[in-house]
Amino acid sequence: MAKVTLGKKACSVNPLKMSQPIGGALAFMGLRGAMPLLHGSQGCTSFGLVLFVRHFKEAIPLQTTAMSEVATVLGGYENVEQAILNIHKRAKPEIIGICSTGVTETKGDDVEGFIKLVRENHPEVKDLPIVYVSTPDFKDAFQDGWEKTVARIVDVLVEAPKTQTRRDPARVNVLPGCHMTPGDIDELRTIIEDFGLEPAFLPDLGGSLDGHIPDEFTPTTIGGIGVEDVAAMGYASWTIAIGAQMRRAAEAMQRKTGMPFRVFERLCGLAPNDEFMAFLSEISGRPVPLKYRRQRGQLVDAMLDGHFHIGGRKLAIGAEPDLLYDVGSLLHEMGAHIDAAVTTTQSPVLERLPAEDVLIGDLEDLEKLAGDKGCDLLVTHSHGRQAATRLNIPFYRVGIPMFDRLGAGHQTTVGYRGTRTLIFSVSNLIIEDHENNHEPTPETWRDGGHAANSVIAH
Amino acid sequence: MSSLSATIQDVFNEPGCGKNANKSEAERKKGCTKQLQPGGAAGGCAFDGAKIALQPLTDVAHLVHGPIACEGNSWDNRGAKSSGSNIWRTGFTTDMNETDVVFGGEKRLFKAVREIIERYDPPAIFVYQTCVPAMIGDDIDAVCKAAREKFGKPVIPVNAPGFVGSKNLGNKLAGEALLEHVIGTEEPEYTTPYDINIIGEYNLSGELWQVKPLFDELGIRILACISGDGKYKEVASSHRAKAAMMVCSKAMINVARKMEERYAIPFFEGSFYGIEDTSDSLREIGKLLVARGAPAELLDRIEIVIAREEAKAWAAIAKYKPRFNGKRVLLITGGVKSWSVVAALQEAGLDLVGTSVKKSTKEDKERIKELMGQDAHMIDDMTPREMYKMLKEAKADIMLSGGRSQFIALKAMMPWLDINQERHNAYMGYVGMVTLVAEIDKALYNPVWEQVRRPAPWEKAGENWRARAMRQMEAEAAALAVDPVAAEAARREKKICHCKSVDLGTIEDAIRAHTLTDVDGVREHTHASGGCGACSQRIEEIFADIAAVPLAVAAE
């Protein structure tokens, strides 16, 4: 439905986009005992680190090969070698995940070759799992980095099952997109387990970045899926991919293990969750638990209550493709019109977005479109706060980074329950905006009437 | 690139930089590019440093030339405050793509400058070079020059790509960009005998505004603050100031010193952290202004203001004394702050159980001894575990530190207060110290601590992770106590030089093997102190320790 256009500006103003390597690094953070390592200069890592600390409000494991100017020109073998050895010695990780950056890609470092050489020269790291992903900063966006990294983890770490007969019908693999928060993962785990299934999440940010208090001090991730659990994923019966971005990883899983997969492009909204429940019921052979029948009723009720407020809203939304499609579609289903949609990178879901246009652009574009079209609801990550202030419209935060509010990791939008929460939060925001900015006063009907007044109020 | 490397050399030769001045010429040439260990490093890059230093110029468009990572991952993450324009909070980047990397990004950069001028029309644009365009040879100096000529507006190149070095080097390179392209290019509308510059102050959380009312009252005009809440025109005409104050951080020492050299503006290094320091700084500013021709009565007026403000501040702090009785503070910060806030904390009745001296100079340490007594607990470098142990064993009731160690305190269920750059409260000047004390009170007496420390009903006593961690540490300590060989090995393993990763044992061996007598010798044989130089102090202490031990031990 939507026409996708690519912004033509030379200067990106107020970026919506974040870089590929940190998307990849975050994916590695869903593995247990992991140390993500960016192959680039120190700043590449420190910016990512600060971003994640501010978002999750947790200690974040992330290392750098600390490429200097000279090392960059000469090639980074020694830095990669030293980094691996140092991390191995100090942090004792179960896995090191390496993402390249713009500098090392421009130079053209052969990191796979480096890793091979490091393993040959240093027996102590011969068997240490190391996964490398090529993620130059000058291509694609955060979501692509996540997507490539998960697919790569599947390629490298999942073992092809030696025999099909050992497949366990109760086990399912879940490949969540980067738009799933630790809270979303927890919710999905509960839902799937309630059908008597045993889900394995790759990556599992629910285990590593949910803010729990760790059992010991460790410089690596404190939870998530273990390397051996990833290796054994081939013995499950199904792969469930969440978000169109995860199709690539699901296909990799199928190639490697012959496992069937199903992609759920959305899990926010009534219809997508009906489909999801039906699917779980089918593969588990169990009826949908009473709990979810009740939750479905509650969601329907929330939709009825919320549509008064969300209905007719002119929505301006900026997010990475899968998140945009997920939340944008739900709000559309609640009666909002997506009048301004901006995203970061290409994706097949963009064309299916219920809007006329989607622009691959920045927050300046979103702000301009929102202003031109008279939008009265802004949905994007925390960087949208300046635009919302200038436009004086209600602002709902979704995605990464969310640094100016607490609880980013626990914000939940999946399932009947998550969708209900989202509807209530957005509706309440709109009600509050009405109370603060649009209450009728004795002056309301003077000089051109209510309409003029509400325009001034904007 | 040749001009960039020349600039870097120049910055390294900075005579005003204490750390550099102590090095041999050969070492200086290597520079303080703190080549941190791959896989063991944290911290920003030179680009980060340049951006931090200049971004508080609030009416300027800061355009980052590079792939999305450099600006997209980092924009709007600093808490500097502006009294006017907010264009500095807008993220501008060329967001280079693959095609630009192959064919060069200069055209895109030029177009980006034009777009900014057409749509935002700022008084100036600062263009930041990053690693990728530096590698492919994009000449931002040439593009800026062309844009300057075409649009008749200052377009300033800031040449500090990330991989040339550390954040601190980036600060200095940013200073060089100001010296070369900005300072002295415009004239102030008028001047007074009371015009000063403040250099190296970033107005985080609006801190400068806590002090500014005092300047206003005294009739002292801040001609330019470089760069906190800075305006382009102010900085461009800052060369007409009569005196300058260099705020504690040595980040922009080159700016202060070269402005003294070029425009005869005398400067001193001072701080607005701590009551005494604030007073000293005001006095110093007065002295410099009077020496440059301001009427001497200024000094008397300053004393009156100081007396009044100090009395007010001490009275406000003293109120907390009964509440702080018996409460202990662990202070993990660096440099001047390790002692400048001590006096205020002591006045409030807090006991200091320790202060970190990792980044402190010899003078800083002397001041600490003066304030806290000869047996002051000075902490060189603490591992997270040690910090935790200190908090846990109730040797401290609250930790004051930078954001990086916050999770240690919080996960240990102990009160913590941010006193480094990411904090949300302003602690500058007399009012700032009162705020700090009030914040400590708020943190200490928050009822949340009692709640969160309560064990879960199903938890057995002594079986949580905290108890296990403590037991593990105790077991390790006990093992060392009965095993002198292991204890000696552990002692020798202590890291002295963090840049080059050199431990105590290596240095001691080198000193004995080569009968070394000074830090230069140690550097030659072990590479220690070959980085940032912060450890030269610690190495001198090793010499002192060795001298204290009878030679017989060494001869064994």
Side-chain angles (χ1 to χ4, degrees), chain B residues 209-480:
Chain B
W209 300 335
Q210 294 187 320
V211 185
K212 197 167 174 291
L214 301 179
F215 287 120
D216 292 344
E217 182 187 347
L218 290 165
I220 294 169
R221 177 169 76 148
I222 302 174
L223 185 63
C225 179
I226 303 172
S227 48
D229 193 16
K231 312 275 183 296
Y232 182 77
K233 198 177 163 14
E234 288 173 6
V235 176
S237 50
S238 60
H239 61 299
R240 296 298 181 211
K242 299 291 185 296
M245 169 172 170
M246 161 90 214
V247 176
C248 47
S249 150
K250 295 203 172 189
M252 281 198 169
I253 179 82
N254 52 336
V255 175
R257 199 192 53 77
K258 284 187 181 165
M259 286 183 79
E260 181 173 44
E261 190 180 284
R262 289 181 196 173
Y263 311 111
I265 304 173
F267 75 95
F268 74 101
E269 199 183 326
S271 159
F272 289 123
Y273 288 109
I275 289 170
E276 234 182 289
D277 279 53
T278 307
S279 302
D280 287 348
S281 294
L282 287 176
R283 285 191 187 102
E284 199 67 38
I285 289 170
K287 258 196 273 173
L288 288 183
L289 285 176
V290 169
R292 295 287 314 275
E297 54 83 40
L298 175 64
L299 299 179
D300 303 329
R301 286 195 290 126
I302 287 175
E303 287 305 328
I304 293 168
V305 167
I306 288 174
R308 186 193 69 208
E309 291 297 319
E310 283 199 355
K312 259 203 316 210
W314 290 128
I317 289 171
K319 281 188 212 140
Y320 290 93
K321 231 172 187 163
R323 293 175 63 82
F324 287 170
N325 190 21
K327 297 287 183 196
R328 283 150 302 189
V329 183
L330 176 61
L331 186 60
I332 303 284
T333 177
V336 204
K337 259 181 284 165
S338 54
W339 57 265
S340 63
V341 299
V342 168
L345 300 184
Q346 286 178 333
E347 179 63 24
L350 288 162
D351 276 341
L352 269 107
V353 288
T355 180
S356 75
V357 288
K358 192 178 164 191
K359 287 185 263 178
S360 304
T361 62
K362 207 175 203 166
E363 295 79 48
D364 289 338
K365 287 187 182 176
E366 284 307 314
R367 292 295 292 266
I368 294 167
K369 279 187 195 156
E370 212 174 281
L371 283 161
M372 294 172 60
Q374 280 300 322
D375 52 350
H377 194 135
M378 287 190 260
I379 301 152
D380 234 335
D381 194 17
M382 249 187 165
T383 64
R385 274 173 160 230
E386 288 163 339
M387 278 186 215
Y388 172 71
K389 190 160 184 261
M390 254 192 129
L391 289 165
K392 188 62 202 169
E393 290 178 343
K395 283 184 181 149
D397 298 293
I398 183 170
M399 180 162 91
L400 310 187
S401 75
R404 242 193 250 165
S405 20
Q406 66 175 301
F407 300 110
I408 295 159
L410 296 181
K411 303 255 152 162
M413 312 295 180
M414 292 303 288
W416 169 81
L417 199 64
D418 195 344
I419 50 164
N420 275 8
Q421 68 266 23
E422 287 133 24
R423 67 184 170 266
H424 294 289
N425 290 296
Y427 295 139
M428 254 195 194
Y430 303 107
V431 282
M433 277 301 110
V434 180
T435 311
L436 175 65
V437 171
E439 285 296 317
I440 292 174
D441 184 74
K442 231 194 304 182
L444 274 174
Y445 282 99
N446 194 315
V448 75
W449 301 117
E450 201 192 316
Q451 287 277 318
V452 296
R453 286 174 196 151
R454 186 178 302 183
W458 52 84
E459 206 170 76
K460 284 192 210 109
E463 255 325 301
N464 57 20
W465 69 274
R466 285 181 287 277
R468 278 200 300 277
M470 290 299 288
R471 270 206 302 278
Q472 203 183 333
M473 274 188 273
E474 276 158 21
E476 280 168 18
L480 286 183

Side-chain angles (χ1 to χ4, degrees), chain B residues 3-21:
Chain B
S3 75
L4 172 58
S5 54
T7 312
I8 293 174
Q9 275 310 317
D10 185 42
V11 169
F12 285 149
N13 282 324
E14 175 58 52
C17 173
K19 277 171 188 166
N20 279 318

Side-chain angles (χ1 to χ4, degrees), chain A residues 10-15 17 19 42 46 57-58 63-64 69 86 90 103 138-139 213-214 364 383 385-386, chain B residues 1 35 37-39 41-43 73 75-76 89-91 93 95 97-98 115 119-120 131 163 407 411 465:
Chain A
C11 180
S12 172
V13 183
N14 293 338
K17 183 165 74 168
S19 74
Q42 269 199 63
S46 97
K57 314 260 185 303
E58 293 297 324
Q63 263 303 337
T64 171
E69 189 179 6
N86 273 327
R90 289 188 194 171
V103 253
F138 47 74
K139 259 185 83 182
I213 310 262
E364 183 195 52
H383 283 308
R385 69 202 202 281
Q386 296 184 46
Chain B
M1 286 305 266
Q35 182 51 55
Q37 274 192 327
N73 296 352
W75 70 284
D76 200 10
R89 285 182 66 199
T90 304
T93 173
D95 184 9
N97 58 33
E98 223 169 2
E115 283 176 14
R119 276 179 293 162
Y120 294 87
C131 301
F163 56 25
F407 300 110
K411 303 255 152 162
W465 69 274

Side-chain angles (χ1 to χ4, degrees), chain A residues 364-427:
Chain A
E364 183 195 52
D365 298 325
L366 185 66
E367 184 175 348
K368 171 118 193 354
L369 282 170
D372 290 351
K373 307 232 173 164
C375 289
D376 48 13
L377 175 62
L378 180 67
V379 175
T380 187
H381 57 49
S382 281
H383 283 308
R385 69 202 202 281
Q386 296 184 46
T389 309
R390 285 188 288 260
L391 294 163
N392 192 24
I393 58 176
F395 174 38
Y396 189 70
R397 292 163 178 81
V398 293
I400 298 177
M402 200 185 301
F403 47 75
D404 58 341
R405 290 294 183 273
L406 298 184
H410 294 286
Q411 189 171 321
T412 309
T413 57
V414 298
Y416 294 128
R417 199 162 61 153
T419 311
R420 187 187 71 196
T421 311
L422 176 70
I423 290 170
F424 286 155
S425 310
V426 173
S427 300

